[in-house]
Amino acid sequence: MKRIVVTGAAGQVGTELVPALRAAFGNAAVLATDIRRPHGGVLLDGPFETVDCMNGQAVAAAVLRHRADTIYHLAALLSASAERSPQLAYQVNMGTLVNVLEVARDAGCAVFTPSSIGAFGPTTPRDPAPQDALQRPTTMYGVTKVAGELLCDYYFARYDVDTRGLRYPGLISHVAPPGGGTTDYAVHIFHDALEHGHYTCFLRADTQLDMMYMPDAIRASIEVMEADPARLRHRNAFNVTAMQFTPAVLAAEIAKHSAGFRIEYDVDPVRQRIADSWPRRLDDSAAREEWGWQPQYDLATMTADMLQQLREKAAALMGAATEKRG
Ligand SMILES: NC(=O)c1ccc[n+]([C@@H]2O[C@H](COP(=O)([O-])OP(=O)(O)OC[C@H]3O[C@@H](n4cnc5c(N)ncnc54)[C@H](O)[C@@H]3O)[C@@H](O)[C@H]2O)c1
């Protein structure tokens, strides 16, 4: 029986990972934690505790109370937020990870930690970025992601903690809002397309980045932790990808479903600089070979599903509002 603690569970990834883990391993087996308590929603359908991962004792207490054998550590500051507050980002991203790894060492837990395309920098080959590549990121987010990958590998080699991770590309989801990353435009654009018929993008039209639809990211996160350890030559962290596009290409795909949709550009130099330092495409052959990674969604199927899900949600909200008035 697996017993899992998820940190940073109230964010974009956790809001969908927790229900998926509960569906796979049972509601009571998955303790969701975050520094903030959600006001309702799926996380409260099972056990939830408020835990600040900067406090190692609080992490240890939650893991021991829950008798956890696995920790999914999602608490972090994302790329754009980290560039606004680099010192805080260093403290949060490194401090929480060290605490989680120490608790895992004491309690004998496996640890999943996401890395990111942000762990690469301008000197990494960009198309594609290999699994084993030069990693000299120029953002504080990237610095913490590379250091995090190394720290997780160190805990595996030195203390036999079963650490595994993925370098997520930009994640697209219709459930929870994105938390301050450079690829957030690829979520905002869908909402604005449906609400306003146009979107003003903070990245240049030709900025190609790696992306993935959230159902694929959630499945990858669970599959890598369930993979046969004997087959793993890599651990922290696997390149995974599903699709690559620019804002202009995504806008053209949305326009196929939403006639008259327009995109304009008002480039934010900070986020553009971050995006320009990242790869245009990842080589995820190691994930495919070592644990059978295979994405299910491409640009066309992701776009169609995003629009359908958001339209259904809007219709349900309209229906509920009409019922309330009546
Ligand atoms: N979303 C993406 O596109 C993306 C891409 C690459 C990597 N990642 C990585 O995936 C992980 C999860 O990302 P996300 O998109 O869900 O982020 P998010 O910002 O949506 O959520 C992070 C959560 O961490 C919580 N948190 C922050 N400080 C905390 C602390 N001290 N203790 C406990 N909780 C704390 C926040 O309240 C928030 O709910 C992060 O490591 C991120 O770097 C995400």
Side-chain angles (χ1 to χ4, degrees):
M1 269 299 288
K2 256 200 146 60
R3 308 240 349 138
I4 300 168
V5 167
V6 182
T7 73
Q12 194 194 12
V13 174
T15 303
E16 294 188 57
L17 179 64
V18 168
L21 288 170
R22 284 179 177 159
F25 303 108
N27 235 29
V30 183
L31 171 64
T33 71
D34 200 284
I35 198 169
R36 58 191 164 114
R37 192 179 175 80
H39 296 300
V42 287
L43 293 188
L44 302 182
D45 291 347
F48 180 91
E49 283 183 29
T50 308
V51 175
D52 178 357
C53 298
M54 294 299 284
N55 179 344
Q57 285 174 348
V59 178
V63 164
L64 289 180
R65 259 197 314 275
H66 189 62
R67 291 176 285 109
D69 51 51
T70 304
I71 305 171
Y72 277 79
H73 177 50
L74 306 180
L77 244 61
L78 270 67
S79 57
S81 311
E83 268 333 90
R84 274 194 296 275
S85 314
Q87 292 75 15
L88 179 67
Y90 184 84
Q91 283 168 10
V92 172
N93 292 4
M94 298 315 302
T96 63
L97 179 58
V98 170
N99 286 342
V100 164
L101 288 170
E102 276 297 292
V103 170
R105 176 159 84 99
D106 282 349
C109 295
V111 179
F112 172 83
T113 315
S115 184
S116 159
I117 50 174
F120 295 116
T123 49
T124 306
R126 293 188 75 202
D127 200 355
Q131 172 65 41
D132 300 307
L134 188 62
Q135 290 178 267
R136 306 291 292 174
T138 48
T139 63
M140 179 53 89
Y141 182 66
V143 168
T144 64
K145 287 301 181 191
V146 176
E149 289 184 9
L150 293 171
L151 201 60
C152 288
D153 273 349
Y154 181 82
Y155 269 70
F156 171 64
R158 180 81 163 54
Y159 301 119
D160 211 19
V161 177
D162 184 359
T163 56
R164 307 181 189 189
L166 302 175
R167 294 183 186 129
Y168 287 145
L171 300 180
I172 301 164
S173 117
H174 55 83
V175 179
T182 303
T183 51
D184 290 6
Y185 90 84
V187 177
H188 298 154
I189 192 171
F190 285 98
H191 291 269
D192 282 18
L194 293 177
E195 283 166 36
H196 310 297
H198 65 88
Y199 175 65
T200 305
C201 186
F202 57 75
L203 293 184
R204 253 190 354 254
D206 62 350
T207 312
Q208 180 182 307
L209 291 169
D210 248 294
M211 300 279 180
M212 186 179 286
Y213 199 27
M214 193 61 92
D216 273 339
I218 298 303
R219 197 167 46 77
S221 310
I222 297 174
E223 282 179 8
V224 74
M225 290 307 283
E226 295 304 306
D228 175 0
R231 286 184 59 196
L232 300 184
R233 283 189 301 109
H234 299 85
R235 282 179 164 268
N236 300 282
F238 283 96
N239 285 0
V240 282
T241 185
M243 61 189 94
Q244 300 80 30
F245 54 74
T246 64
V249 166
L250 178 57
E253 190 64 34
I254 292 174
K256 290 182 191 167
H257 302 261
S258 191
F261 172 66
R262 285 178 300 108
I263 186 163
E264 288 140 20
Y265 298 90
D266 181 10
V267 173
D268 167 14
V270 174
R271 285 180 284 192
Q272 186 65 53
R273 213 170 25 248
I274 296 174
D276 288 342
S277 75
W278 288 354
R280 288 164 57 81
R281 178 194 309 266
L282 299 189
D283 172 356
D284 63 0
S285 49
R288 289 171 189 256
E289 281 160 24
E290 292 176 41
W291 49 276
W293 163 241
Q294 189 69 54
Q296 282 174 357
Y297 286 89
D298 61 13
L299 173 61
T301 49
M302 176 277 291
T303 302
D305 197 61
M306 274 295 280
L307 290 169
Q308 187 190 335
Q309 299 287 345
L310 289 174
R311 281 188 176 124
E312 281 173 14
K313 244 184 241 180
L317 278 175
M318 286 268 282
T322 313
E323 208 168 277
K324 209 169 166 192
R325 274 202 301 276

